[in-house]
Coordinates of all heavy atoms in Angstrom, one line a residue:
M2 N -10.5 89.9 49.9 CA -11.5 89.8 48.9 C -12.5 91.0 49.1 O -12.7 91.4 50.2 CB -12.2 88.5 49.0 CG -13.3 88.3 47.9 SD -14.1 86.6 48.0 CE -12.7 85.6 47.6
I3 N -13.0 91.5 48.0 CA -14.0 92.5 48.1 C -15.4 91.9 47.7 O -15.4 91.2 46.6 CB -13.7 93.7 47.2 CG1 -12.4 94.3 47.6 CG2 -14.8 94.7 47.1 CD1 -11.9 95.4 46.7
L4 N -16.4 92.1 48.5 CA -17.7 91.5 48.2 C -18.7 92.6 48.3 O -18.6 93.6 49.0 CB -18.0 90.4 49.3 CG -17.0 89.3 49.4 CD1 -17.2 88.6 50.7 CD2 -17.1 88.3 48.3
Y5 N -19.8 92.4 47.6 CA -21.0 93.3 47.6 C -22.2 92.5 47.8 O -22.4 91.4 47.4 CB -21.1 94.0 46.2 CG -20.0 94.8 45.8 CD1 -18.8 94.3 45.2 CD2 -20.0 96.2 46.0 CE1 -17.8 95.1 44.9 CE2 -19.0 97.0 45.7 CZ -17.8 96.5 45.1 OH -16.8 97.3 44.8
T6 N -23.1 93.1 48.6 CA -24.4 92.5 48.9 C -25.5 93.6 49.1 O -25.1 94.7 49.3 CB -24.4 91.5 50.1 OG1 -25.6 90.8 50.2 CG2 -24.1 92.3 51.4
S7 N -26.7 93.2 49.0 CA -27.8 94.1 49.3 C -29.1 93.4 49.7 O -29.2 92.2 49.5 CB -28.1 95.0 48.1 OG -28.7 94.3 47.1
D8 N -30.0 94.1 50.3 CA -31.3 93.6 50.6 C -31.3 92.3 51.4 O -32.1 91.4 51.2 CB -32.1 93.4 49.3 CG -32.2 94.7 48.5 OD1 -32.6 95.7 49.1 OD2 -31.9 94.7 47.3
L9 N -30.5 92.3 52.5 CA -30.5 91.2 53.4 C -31.8 91.1 54.2 O -32.3 90.1 54.6 CB -29.3 91.2 54.3 CG -27.9 91.1 53.5 CD1 -26.8 91.5 54.4 CD2 -27.8 89.7 52.9
H10 N -32.2 92.3 54.6 CA -33.5 92.4 55.4 C -33.4 91.6 56.7 O -34.4 91.0 57.1 CB -34.7 92.0 54.6 CG -35.0 93.0 53.5 ND1 -35.9 94.0 53.7 CD2 -34.5 93.2 52.3 CE1 -36.0 94.8 52.6 NE2 -35.2 94.3 51.7
F11 N -32.3 91.7 57.4 CA -32.3 91.1 58.8 C -33.4 91.7 59.6 O -33.8 92.9 59.4 CB -31.0 91.5 59.5 CG -29.8 90.7 59.0 CD1 -28.8 91.2 58.3 CD2 -29.7 89.3 59.4 CE1 -27.7 90.5 57.9 CE2 -28.6 88.6 59.0 CZ -27.6 89.2 58.3
G12 N -34.1 90.9 60.4 CA -35.1 91.4 61.3 C -36.5 91.7 60.7 O -37.4 92.1 61.4
H13 N -36.6 91.5 59.4 CA -37.9 91.8 58.7 C -38.8 90.6 58.6 O -38.5 89.7 57.8 CB -37.5 92.4 57.3 CG -38.7 92.9 56.6 ND1 -38.6 93.2 55.3 CD2 -40.0 93.1 57.0 CE1 -39.8 93.6 54.9 NE2 -40.7 93.6 55.9
S14 N -39.8 90.5 59.5 CA -40.6 89.3 59.5 C -41.4 89.0 58.2 O -41.5 87.9 57.8 CB -41.6 89.3 60.7 OG -42.4 90.4 60.6
S15 N -41.9 90.1 57.6 CA -42.6 89.9 56.4 C -41.8 89.4 55.2 O -42.4 88.7 54.3 CB -43.3 91.2 56.0 OG -44.3 91.6 56.9
V16 N -40.5 89.6 55.2 CA -39.7 89.1 54.1 C -39.7 87.6 54.0 O -39.5 87.0 52.9 CB -38.3 89.8 54.1 CG1 -37.4 89.0 55.1 CG2 -37.7 89.8 52.7
I17 N -39.9 87.0 55.1 CA -39.9 85.5 55.2 C -41.0 85.0 54.2 O -40.8 84.1 53.4 CB -40.1 85.0 56.6 CG1 -38.9 85.3 57.5 CG2 -40.4 83.5 56.6 CD1 -39.1 85.1 58.9
R18 N -42.2 85.6 54.3 CA -43.3 85.3 53.5 C -43.1 85.8 52.0 O -43.3 85.0 51.1 CB -44.6 85.8 54.1 CG -45.9 85.3 53.4 CD -47.1 85.9 54.0 NE -46.6 87.2 54.5 CZ -47.2 88.3 54.6 NH1 -48.3 88.4 54.5 NH2 -46.7 89.5 55.0
F19 N -42.8 87.1 51.9 CA -42.6 87.7 50.6 C -41.6 86.9 49.7 O -41.9 86.7 48.5 CB -42.2 89.1 50.7 CG -43.1 90.1 51.3 CD1 -42.6 91.2 51.9 CD2 -44.5 89.8 51.4 CE1 -43.5 92.1 52.5 CE2 -45.3 90.7 52.0 CZ -44.8 91.9 52.6
D20 N -40.5 86.6 50.3 CA -39.4 85.9 49.5 C -39.4 84.4 49.7 O -38.4 83.8 49.2 CB -38.1 86.5 49.9 CG -37.9 87.9 49.5 OD1 -38.6 88.4 48.6 OD2 -36.9 88.6 50.0
H21 N -40.4 83.9 50.3 CA -40.5 82.4 50.5 C -39.2 81.9 51.2 O -38.7 80.9 50.8 CB -40.8 81.7 49.2 CG -41.9 82.2 48.5 ND1 -43.2 82.0 48.9 CD2 -42.0 83.0 47.4 CE1 -44.1 82.6 48.1 NE2 -43.4 83.2 47.2
R22 N -38.7 82.6 52.2 CA -37.5 82.2 52.9 C -37.9 81.0 53.8 O -39.0 81.1 54.5 CB -36.9 83.4 53.7 CG -36.4 84.4 52.8 CD -35.7 85.5 53.6 NE -35.1 86.6 52.7 CZ -34.4 87.6 53.1 NH1 -34.0 87.6 54.4 NH2 -33.9 88.5 52.3
P23 N -37.1 80.0 53.9 CA -37.4 78.8 54.7 C -37.2 78.9 56.2 O -36.5 78.1 56.8 CB -36.5 77.8 54.0 CG -35.3 78.6 53.7 CD -35.8 79.9 53.3
F24 N -37.7 79.9 56.8 CA -37.5 80.1 58.3 C -38.8 80.2 59.0 O -39.8 80.7 58.5 CB -36.7 81.4 58.5 CG -35.4 81.4 57.8 CD1 -35.2 82.3 56.7 CD2 -34.4 80.5 58.1 CE1 -34.0 82.3 56.0 CE2 -33.2 80.6 57.4 CZ -33.0 81.5 56.3
A25 N -38.8 79.7 60.2 CA -40.1 79.7 61.0 C -40.3 81.1 61.6 O -41.5 81.5 61.8 CB -39.9 78.8 62.2
D26 N -39.2 81.9 61.8 CA -39.4 83.2 62.4 C -38.1 84.1 62.2 O -37.2 83.6 61.6 CB -39.8 83.2 63.9 CG -38.7 82.4 64.7 OD1 -37.5 82.5 64.4 OD2 -39.1 81.7 65.7
V27 N -38.2 85.3 62.6 CA -37.1 86.3 62.4 C -35.8 85.8 63.1 O -34.7 85.9 62.6 CB -37.5 87.7 62.8 CG1 -36.3 88.6 62.9 CG2 -38.5 88.2 61.9
D28 N -36.0 85.3 64.3 CA -34.8 84.9 65.1 C -34.1 83.8 64.4 O -32.8 83.8 64.3 CB -35.2 84.4 66.5 CG -35.7 85.6 67.4 OD1 -35.3 86.7 67.2 OD2 -36.5 85.3 68.3
E29 N -34.8 82.8 63.9 CA -34.1 81.7 63.1 C -33.5 82.3 61.9 O -32.3 81.9 61.5 CB -35.2 80.7 62.7 CG -34.5 79.5 61.9 CD -35.5 78.5 61.4 OE1 -36.8 78.8 61.5 OE2 -35.1 77.5 60.8
M30 N -34.2 83.1 61.1 CA -33.6 83.7 59.9 C -32.3 84.5 60.2 O -31.3 84.3 59.5 CB -34.6 84.6 59.2 CG -34.1 85.3 58.0 SD -35.3 86.4 57.2 CE -35.4 87.8 58.3
D31 N -32.4 85.4 61.2 CA -31.2 86.2 61.5 C -30.0 85.2 61.9 O -28.9 85.4 61.4 CB -31.5 87.1 62.6 CG -32.4 88.3 62.2 OD1 -32.6 88.5 61.0 OD2 -32.8 89.1 63.1
H32 N -30.3 84.3 62.7 CA -29.2 83.4 63.2 C -28.6 82.6 62.0 O -27.4 82.6 61.9 CB -29.8 82.4 64.2 CG -28.9 81.3 64.7 ND1 -27.9 81.6 65.6 CD2 -28.7 80.0 64.3 CE1 -27.1 80.5 65.8 NE2 -27.6 79.6 65.0
V33 N -29.4 82.0 61.2 CA -28.9 81.3 60.0 C -28.1 82.2 59.0 O -27.1 81.8 58.6 CB -30.0 80.5 59.3 CG1 -29.6 79.9 58.0 CG2 -30.6 79.4 60.2
M34 N -28.7 83.4 58.8 CA -28.0 84.3 57.8 C -26.7 84.7 58.4 O -25.7 84.9 57.6 CB -28.9 85.4 57.5 CG -30.1 85.0 56.6 SD -31.3 86.3 56.2 CE -30.4 87.7 55.9
I35 N -26.6 85.0 59.7 CA -25.3 85.4 60.3 C -24.3 84.2 60.2 O -23.2 84.4 59.8 CB -25.5 85.9 61.7 CG1 -26.2 87.2 61.7 CG2 -24.2 86.0 62.5 CD1 -26.8 87.6 63.1
E36 N -24.8 83.0 60.5 CA -23.9 81.8 60.3 C -23.4 81.7 58.9 O -22.2 81.4 58.7 CB -24.6 80.6 60.8 CG -24.6 80.4 62.3 CD -25.1 79.0 62.7 OE1 -25.6 78.2 61.8 OE2 -25.0 78.7 63.9
L37 N -24.3 81.8 57.9 CA -23.9 81.6 56.5 C -22.9 82.7 56.1 O -21.9 82.4 55.4 CB -25.1 81.7 55.6 CG -26.0 80.4 55.7 CD1 -27.3 80.7 55.0 CD2 -25.3 79.2 55.2
W38 N -23.2 83.9 56.5 CA -22.2 85.1 56.2 C -20.9 84.7 56.8 O -19.8 84.8 56.1 CB -22.8 86.3 56.8 CG -21.9 87.5 56.7 CD1 -20.7 87.7 57.3 CD2 -22.2 88.7 56.0 NE1 -20.2 88.9 57.1 CE2 -21.1 89.6 56.3 CE3 -23.2 89.2 55.3 CZ2 -21.0 90.9 55.7 CZ3 -23.1 90.5 54.7 CH2 -22.1 91.3 55.0
N39 N -20.8 84.4 58.1 CA -19.5 84.2 58.7 C -18.8 82.9 58.2 O -17.6 82.8 58.4 CB -19.7 84.1 60.2 CG -20.0 85.5 60.8 OD1 -19.7 86.5 60.2 ND2 -20.7 85.6 61.9
G40 N -19.5 82.0 57.6 CA -18.9 80.8 57.0 C -18.3 81.1 55.7 O -17.5 80.4 55.2
R41 N -18.6 82.3 55.1 CA -18.1 82.6 53.8 C -17.2 83.8 53.8 O -16.2 83.8 53.1 CB -19.3 83.0 52.8 CG -19.0 83.6 51.5 CD -18.3 82.6 50.6 NE -18.0 83.1 49.3 CZ -16.9 83.6 48.9 NH1 -15.9 83.7 49.7 NH2 -16.7 84.0 47.7
V42 N -17.5 84.8 54.6 CA -16.7 86.0 54.7 C -15.5 85.9 55.7 O -15.8 85.3 56.8 CB -17.6 87.2 55.1 CG1 -16.8 88.5 55.3 CG2 -18.7 87.4 54.0
Q43 N -14.4 86.3 55.4 CA -13.2 86.3 56.3 C -13.1 87.6 57.0 O -13.5 88.7 56.5 CB -11.9 86.0 55.5 CG -12.0 84.7 54.7 CD -12.2 83.5 55.6 OE1 -11.5 83.3 56.6 NE2 -13.2 82.7 55.3
S44 N -12.3 87.6 58.1 CA -12.2 88.9 58.9 C -11.5 90.0 58.1 O -11.6 91.1 58.4 CB -11.4 88.5 60.1 OG -12.2 87.7 60.9
D45 N -10.7 89.6 57.1 CA -10.0 90.7 56.3 C -10.6 91.0 55.0 O -10.1 91.8 54.2 CB -8.5 90.3 56.1 CG -8.4 89.0 55.3 OD1 -9.3 88.3 55.2 OD2 -7.3 88.8 54.8
D46 N -11.8 90.5 54.8 CA -12.6 90.8 53.6 C -13.3 92.2 53.7 O -13.7 92.6 54.8 CB -13.7 89.8 53.3 CG -13.1 88.5 52.8 OD1 -12.0 88.4 52.4 OD2 -13.9 87.5 52.9
T47 N -13.4 92.9 52.6 CA -14.2 94.1 52.6 C -15.5 93.8 52.0 O -15.6 93.3 50.9 CB -13.5 95.2 51.7 OG1 -12.2 95.5 52.3 CG2 -14.3 96.5 51.7
V48 N -16.6 94.2 52.7 CA -17.9 93.9 52.2 C -18.7 95.3 52.1 O -18.8 96.0 53.1 CB -18.7 93.0 53.2 CG1 -20.1 92.7 52.7 CG2 -18.0 91.7 53.4
Y49 N -19.2 95.5 51.0 CA -20.1 96.7 50.7 C -21.5 96.2 50.8 O -21.9 95.4 50.0 CB -19.8 97.3 49.4 CG -18.4 98.0 49.3 CD1 -17.3 97.3 48.8 CD2 -18.2 99.3 49.8 CE1 -16.0 97.8 48.8 CE2 -16.9 99.8 49.8 CZ -15.9 99.1 49.3 OH -14.6 99.7 49.2
I50 N -22.3 96.8 51.7 CA -23.7 96.5 51.8 C -24.4 97.7 51.2 O -24.4 98.8 51.7 CB -24.1 96.3 53.3 CG1 -23.3 95.2 53.9 CG2 -25.6 96.0 53.4 CD1 -23.5 95.1 55.4
V51 N -25.0 97.5 50.0 CA -25.5 98.6 49.2 C -27.0 98.8 49.4 O -27.5 99.7 48.7 CB -25.1 98.5 47.7 CG1 -23.5 98.6 47.6 CG2 -25.6 97.2 47.1
G52 N -27.6 98.1 50.3 CA -29.0 98.4 50.5 C -29.6 97.5 51.5 O -29.3 96.3 51.6
D53 N -30.5 98.0 52.3 CA -31.3 97.3 53.3 C -30.7 96.2 54.0 O -31.0 95.0 53.9 CB -32.6 96.7 52.6 CG -33.5 97.9 52.1 OD1 -33.5 98.9 52.6 OD2 -34.2 97.6 51.1
L54 N -29.7 96.5 54.9 CA -29.2 95.5 55.8 C -30.2 95.0 56.7 O -30.4 93.8 56.9 CB -28.1 96.2 56.7 CG -27.5 95.3 57.8 CD1 -26.8 94.1 57.2 CD2 -26.7 96.1 58.8
C55 N -31.0 95.9 57.3 CA -32.1 95.4 58.2 C -33.3 96.3 57.9 O -33.2 97.4 57.4 CB -31.8 95.4 59.6 SG -31.2 97.0 60.3
Y56 N -34.5 95.8 58.2 CA -35.7 96.5 58.0 C -36.7 96.1 59.0 O -37.0 94.9 59.2 CB -36.2 96.2 56.6 CG -37.4 97.0 56.2 CD1 -37.3 98.4 55.9 CD2 -38.7 96.4 56.1 CE1 -38.5 99.1 55.5 CE2 -39.8 97.1 55.7 CZ -39.7 98.5 55.4 OH -40.8 99.2 55.1
R57 N -37.3 97.1 59.7 CA -38.3 96.9 60.7 C -37.8 95.9 61.8 O -38.6 95.1 62.3 CB -39.6 96.5 60.1 CG -40.2 97.5 59.3 CD -41.6 97.2 58.8 NE -42.1 98.3 58.0 CZ -43.4 98.4 57.7 NH1 -44.3 97.5 58.1 NH2 -43.8 99.4 57.0
S58 N -36.6 96.0 62.1 CA -36.0 95.0 63.0 C -36.1 95.6 64.4 O -36.1 96.9 64.6 CB -34.5 94.8 62.7 OG -33.9 94.0 63.7
S59 N -36.2 94.8 65.4 CA -36.1 95.2 66.8 C -34.7 95.6 67.2 O -34.5 96.1 68.3 CB -36.7 94.2 67.7 OG -36.0 93.0 67.7
H60 N -33.7 95.2 66.4 CA -32.3 95.5 66.7 C -31.8 96.6 65.7 O -32.2 96.6 64.5 CB -31.4 94.3 66.4 CG -31.8 93.1 67.3 ND1 -31.6 93.1 68.7 CD2 -32.4 91.9 66.9 CE1 -32.1 91.9 69.1 NE2 -32.6 91.2 68.1
P61 N -30.9 97.5 66.1 CA -30.3 98.5 65.2 C -29.3 97.8 64.3 O -28.8 96.7 64.6 CB -29.6 99.4 66.2 CG -29.3 98.6 67.4 CD -30.5 97.6 67.5
A62 N -29.0 98.4 63.2 CA -28.0 97.9 62.2 C -26.7 97.5 62.9 O -26.1 96.5 62.6 CB -27.8 98.9 61.1
E63 N -26.3 98.3 63.9 CA -25.0 98.0 64.6 C -25.0 96.7 65.2 O -24.0 96.0 65.4 CB -24.7 99.1 65.6 CG -24.4 100.5 65.0 CD -25.7 101.2 64.5 OE1 -26.8 100.8 64.9 OE2 -25.5 102.2 63.8
W64 N -26.1 96.2 65.7 CA -26.3 94.9 66.4 C -25.9 93.8 65.4 O -25.2 92.9 65.8 CB -27.7 94.8 66.9 CG -27.9 93.5 67.8 CD1 -27.7 93.4 69.1 CD2 -28.4 92.3 67.3 NE1 -28.0 92.2 69.5 CE2 -28.4 91.4 68.4 CE3 -28.8 91.8 66.1 CZ2 -28.8 90.1 68.4 CZ3 -29.2 90.4 66.0 CH2 -29.2 89.6 67.1
Y65 N -26.3 93.9 64.2 CA -26.0 92.9 63.2 C -24.6 93.1 62.7 O -23.8 92.1 62.6 CB -26.9 93.1 62.0 CG -28.4 92.8 62.3 CD1 -29.3 93.8 62.5 CD2 -28.8 91.4 62.4 CE1 -30.6 93.5 62.8 CE2 -30.1 91.1 62.7 CZ -31.0 92.2 62.9 OH -32.3 91.9 63.2
L66 N -24.1 94.3 62.5 CA -22.8 94.5 62.0 C -21.7 94.0 63.0 O -20.7 93.4 62.6 CB -22.5 96.0 61.7 CG -23.3 96.6 60.6 CD1 -23.2 98.1 60.5 CD2 -22.9 95.9 59.3
R67 N -22.0 94.1 64.3 CA -21.0 93.6 65.3 C -20.8 92.1 65.2 O -19.8 91.5 65.6 CB -21.5 93.9 66.7 CG -21.2 95.4 67.1 CD -21.4 95.6 68.6 NE -22.7 95.2 69.1 CZ -23.7 96.0 69.2 NH1 -23.6 97.3 68.8 NH2 -24.9 95.6 69.6
Q68 N -21.8 91.4 64.6 CA -21.8 89.9 64.6 C -21.2 89.4 63.2 O -20.9 88.2 63.1 CB -23.2 89.3 64.8 CG -23.7 89.7 66.1 CD -25.1 89.1 66.3 OE1 -25.3 87.9 66.4 NE2 -26.1 90.0 66.3
L69 N -21.1 90.2 62.2 CA -20.7 89.8 60.9 C -19.2 90.0 60.7 O -18.7 91.1 60.9 CB -21.5 90.6 59.8 CG -23.0 90.5 59.9 CD1 -23.7 91.5 58.9 CD2 -23.4 89.1 59.6
K70 N -18.6 88.9 60.2 CA -17.2 89.0 59.9 C -17.0 89.9 58.7 O -17.7 89.9 57.8 CB -16.6 87.6 59.5 CG -16.3 86.7 60.6 CD -15.5 85.5 59.9 CE -15.4 84.3 60.8 NZ -14.8 83.2 60.0
C71 N -15.9 90.7 58.8 CA -15.4 91.5 57.7 C -14.4 92.5 58.2 O -14.2 92.5 59.5 CB -16.5 92.2 56.9 SG -17.4 93.5 57.8
R72 N -13.8 93.2 57.4 CA -12.8 94.2 57.8 C -13.5 95.2 58.7 O -14.7 95.5 58.6 CB -12.3 94.9 56.6 CG -11.1 95.8 56.8 CD -10.5 96.2 55.4 NE -9.9 95.0 54.8 CZ -8.7 95.0 54.4 NH1 -7.9 96.1 54.5 NH2 -8.2 93.9 53.8
S73 N -12.8 95.9 59.5 CA -13.3 96.9 60.5 C -14.3 97.9 59.8 O -14.0 98.3 58.7 CB -12.2 97.7 61.1 OG -12.7 98.7 61.9
K74 N -15.3 98.2 60.5 CA -16.4 99.1 59.9 C -16.1 100.5 60.1 O -16.9 101.4 59.8 CB -17.8 98.7 60.5 CG -18.3 97.4 60.0 CD -18.1 96.5 61.1 CE -18.6 95.1 60.7 NZ -17.9 94.0 61.4
T75 N -15.0 100.9 60.7 CA -14.7 102.3 61.0 C -14.0 103.0 59.8 O -13.4 102.4 59.0 CB -13.8 102.4 62.3 OG1 -12.6 101.7 62.1 CG2 -14.6 101.9 63.5

């Protein structure tokens, strides 16, 4: 399957308030979003992230990408 997504904003604490996301903190948000992604996306799916995977995160984008199911990122 080919999927497209954008503006996930992993690691962005202010997005919780701006978007009224139901999380107590960034750690909870990141954990739940990774679980939801991996519950939907299969290892052989191709996912195009077209904007803002993470923003102002203490982790680099690669940290998130290593945890997300999808076809190889190379």
Side-chain angles (χ1 to χ4, degrees):
M2 183 176 293
I3 298 174
L4 304 162
Y5 295 84
T6 190
S7 70
D8 302 312
L9 297 167
H10 289 265
F11 283 110
H13 186 190
S14 60
S15 295
V16 80
I17 295 170
R18 187 180 33 148
F19 295 155
D20 290 346
H21 307 287
R22 293 184 181 187
F24 305 110
D26 56 35
V27 168
D28 292 332
E29 179 187 7
M30 178 179 72
D31 288 351
H32 176 77
V33 170
M34 288 174 42
I35 290 167
E36 280 191 352
L37 290 171
W38 174 295
N39 289 336
R41 172 68 175 95
V42 176
Q43 301 301 309
S44 296
D45 61 344
D46 289 343
T47 298
V48 181
Y49 292 95
I50 302 168
V51 295
D53 295 333
L54 170 68
C55 58
Y56 183 74
R57 295 188 179 194
S58 177
S59 61
H60 302 290
E63 293 79 14
W64 187 86
Y65 295 102
L66 292 172
R67 282 193 304 269
Q68 298 179 68
L69 299 173
K70 276 190 198 175
C71 67
R72 193 172 287 238
S73 175
K74 289 104 180 152
T75 58

